[in-house]
Amino acid sequence: MKIVKFILSFIFALMFIHAGMNKFFHYSPMPKMSDEQIKIFAAFGEIGWLLPLVGIVEIIGGVLFIFQKTKALGAIILLPVMVGIVIHNIYRDPTQMGIITAVVMFLINIWAIIDDREKYKALIS
């Protein structure tokens, strides 16, 4: 079971590191977007600091998520980003594959938080 946890954590982390690096280097092609999505991403472009901030959070959270000692911190850092991804995929990009991928990644993040719940007790006590 320990190896399955590590593999899931590693793949989850790599996906976020990839997404964060892509926000800076634009090496992955963008999928075809609807007119509404084009407007949304144009608005993100107008707010010049938003996408770099999300990219930095994704990279830092992904790197922290790889290592068992810092996975709990990485999971909490990535949670708001993951919520935004799920909401975007449900309301703005309702393709079946996008929703399934977002929900599976969200569940991996929640699983990591639940798995490391002992580490959070000091924060809420």
Side-chain angles (χ1 to χ4, degrees):
M1 185 64 174
K2 207 172 194 182
I3 192 77
V4 172
K5 282 181 174 181
F6 176 75
I7 291 171
L8 278 176
S9 297
F10 191 72
I11 292 170
F12 181 86
L14 285 181
M15 289 180 81
F16 271 99
I17 293 169
H18 163 73
M21 297 293 281
N22 192 44
K23 286 180 179 53
F24 293 104
F25 300 115
H26 310 289
Y27 55 84
S28 243
M30 288 289 289
K32 183 154 173 51
M33 294 189 287
S34 67
D35 291 337
E36 188 174 346
Q37 287 176 314
I38 291 171
K39 289 178 188 175
I40 291 169
F41 279 98
F44 287 160
E46 289 292 319
I47 307 171
W49 55 268
L50 184 60
L51 286 180
L53 174 66
V54 173
I56 289 170
V57 169
E58 288 175 340
I59 292 167
I60 291 171
V63 170
L64 290 171
F65 204 89
I66 290 174
F67 304 105
Q68 183 60 36
K69 189 172 185 172
T70 58
K71 186 172 75 169
L73 180 58
I76 289 295
I77 288 173
L78 290 174
L79 185 62
V81 175
M82 198 65 244
V83 168
I85 291 169
V86 170
I87 290 171
H88 176 80
N89 276 286
I90 289 173
Y91 291 106
R92 301 291 182 222
D93 187 22
T95 60
Q96 185 176 9
M97 192 60 183
I99 292 172
I100 290 171
T101 304
V103 169
V104 167
M105 292 205 40
F106 181 72
L107 291 175
I108 291 171
N109 197 0
I110 295 298
W111 163 72
I113 290 171
I114 291 170
D115 192 44
D116 290 329
R117 65 186 170 274
E118 295 297 320
K119 295 180 180 178
Y120 305 118
K121 285 191 176 178
L123 294 174
I124 57 175
S125 62

